């Protein structure tokens, strides 16, 4: 359903979400933390469907961080089972909506049955050409950069590159997000105002949007409100405001030809 306040010609191509507040939501409702995560899965479904409806190209969701292993074992095990159940139950929906699954993070540490579910979904949705649903699993921004640097060091040791050839593009090609554009907009729910080790390299010029709404309560209208806020901003990328306007005008004229 079209939204009157939304400029459909100025939507972010890549939206990333730090899905925070499941535990606070559960506590405020007198429920176990895992129930908050379970309700959070319903929000994943709502926001993914909204992204498809609006024509967003990429939706990245911070589903499980490399630091989340520090949580109680019962909660971690419950999260793994919720992830597996989600992948198994949503596969048909992904295919119906032309969604392609993508995963970033070191998935080798995840339980074998979860890895199998991920591999199956990746294979079964690989031919889809609509929304890329990018799940960050056992993901940490610093860990991602370290793994990329280790790979580059190996390549240099094999004489396949030299230190002088290393630049931002080379590093980016060795990150988990290789081939994906940086996020235009990063949304964090739950009231906190930090990145929490999420997409540290890629977020250098992302617009940030913070909301007090806990993730289980975050819905279509909340998502659209974040997009409307994004559309009010002027993205400069180091330029002056005047330069940004001139560049936007020239790009608009070029597309119109």
């Amino acid at each position: 359903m079209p939204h009157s306040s939304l400029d459909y010609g100025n939507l972010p191509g890549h939206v990333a979400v730090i899905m925070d507040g499941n535990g606070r939501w559960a506590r405020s409702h007198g429920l176990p933390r895992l129930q908050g995560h379970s309700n959070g899965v319903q929000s994943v479904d709502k926001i993914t469907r909204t992204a498809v409806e609006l024509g967003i190209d990429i939706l990245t969701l911070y589903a499980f961080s490399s630091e989340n292993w520090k949580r109680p074992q019962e909660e971690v095990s419950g999260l793994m089972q919720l992830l597996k159940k989600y992948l198994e139950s949503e596969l048909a929906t992904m295919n119906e909506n032309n969604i392609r699954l993508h995963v970033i993070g070191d998935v080798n540490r995840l339980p074998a049955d979860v890895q199998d579910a991920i591999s199956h979904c990746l294979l079964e949705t690989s031919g889809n050409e609509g929304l890329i649903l990018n799940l960050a699993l056992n993901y940490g921004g610093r860990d991602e950069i370290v793994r990329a640097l280790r790979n580059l060091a190996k390549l240099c040791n094999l004489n396949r590159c030299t230190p002088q050839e290393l630049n931002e593009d080379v590093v980016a090609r060795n990150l988990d997000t290789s081939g994906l554009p940086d996020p235009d907009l990063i949304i964090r729910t739950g009231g906190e105002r930090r990145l929490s080790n999420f997409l540290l390299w890629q977020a250098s010029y992302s617009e940030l949007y913070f909301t007090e709404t806990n993730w289980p309560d975050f819905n279509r209208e909340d998502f659209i409100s974040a997009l409307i806020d994004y559309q009010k901003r002027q993205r400069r990328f180091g330029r002056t405001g005047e330069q940004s306007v001139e560049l936007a005008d020239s790009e608009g004229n070029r597309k119109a030809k």
Side-chain angles (χ1 to χ4, degrees):
M1 180 183 299
H3 196 284
S4 59
S5 300
L6 199 59
D7 179 0
Y8 286 83
N10 184 31
L11 289 170
H14 182 177
V15 179
V17 185
I18 302 173
M19 305 180 294
D20 194 22
N22 290 339
R24 286 185 287 279
W25 182 91
R27 184 166 59 250
S28 69
H29 288 78
L31 297 169
R33 285 180 59 86
L34 196 57
Q35 186 59 51
H37 295 305
S38 180
N39 280 59
V41 173
Q42 298 176 27
S43 291
V44 170
D45 180 60
K46 293 175 186 176
I47 300 310
T48 302
R49 290 177 182 273
T50 302
V52 170
E53 170 199 330
L54 297 177
I56 302 295
D57 296 325
I58 305 167
L59 178 65
T60 295
L61 302 178
Y62 201 7
F64 189 85
S65 79
S66 52
E67 288 78 31
N68 286 158
W69 297 107
K70 301 173 185 177
R71 295 186 176 186
Q73 182 57 47
E74 180 181 0
E75 182 174 346
V76 171
S77 297
L79 284 167
M80 291 297 108
Q81 289 309 303
L82 282 173
L83 173 58
K84 179 186 176 185
K85 182 179 179 181
Y86 170 79
L87 293 170
E88 292 174 343
S89 63
E90 291 299 312
L91 176 57
T93 301
M94 289 183 199
N95 283 326
E96 288 171 6
N97 289 280
N98 202 26
I99 296 171
R100 177 160 65 91
L101 182 68
H102 191 276
V103 173
I104 59 174
D106 184 4
V107 298
N108 293 322
R109 190 179 173 186
L110 300 177
D113 58 341
V114 176
Q115 292 187 48
D116 290 342
I118 292 170
S119 297
H120 182 64
C121 274
L122 289 173
L123 177 63
E124 292 297 314
T125 65
S126 61
N128 294 340
E129 299 178 345
L131 173 74
I132 295 175
L133 177 59
N134 185 34
L135 299 184
L137 302 171
N138 191 29
Y139 174 87
R142 288 183 174 181
D143 175 70
E144 176 190 30
I145 294 170
V146 168
R147 286 188 283 109
L149 294 178
R150 285 175 179 165
N151 186 54
L152 288 170
K154 290 178 182 178
L155 293 175
C156 287
N157 286 336
L158 293 170
N159 295 319
R160 294 172 61 182
C161 69
T162 65
Q164 291 73 25
E165 293 173 328
L166 301 183
N167 56 36
E168 290 186 12
D169 290 337
V170 172
V171 174
R173 288 199 297 271
N174 282 271
L175 296 174
D176 295 350
T177 52
S178 176
L180 300 179
D182 292 341
D184 300 296
L185 171 65
I186 297 178
I187 300 169
R188 179 164 188 156
T189 63
E192 302 291 354
R193 294 175 177 266
R194 58 177 178 268
L195 287 176
S196 295
N197 203 18
F198 183 52
L199 298 177
L200 299 182
W201 176 282
Q202 300 87 340
S204 57
Y205 277 102
S206 300
E207 297 297 322
L208 306 179
Y209 179 88
F210 300 102
T211 175
E212 298 292 325
T213 304
N214 289 321
W215 178 246
D217 289 329
F218 193 79
N219 57 31
R220 179 182 184 275
E221 289 302 314
D222 295 311
F223 187 65
I224 290 176
S225 292
L227 300 182
I228 292 172
D229 182 86
Y230 165 86
Q231 293 179 341
K232 295 176 182 178
R233 306 185 189 186
Q234 184 184 60
R235 306 189 73 196
R236 298 184 180 181
F237 301 99
R239 305 181 185 91
T240 67
E242 291 76 9
Q243 286 176 314
S244 298
V245 170
E246 291 173 0
L247 180 62
D249 289 343
S250 64
E251 290 182 347
N253 292 333
R254 177 175 53 81
K255 290 179 181 179
K257 291 179 179 178

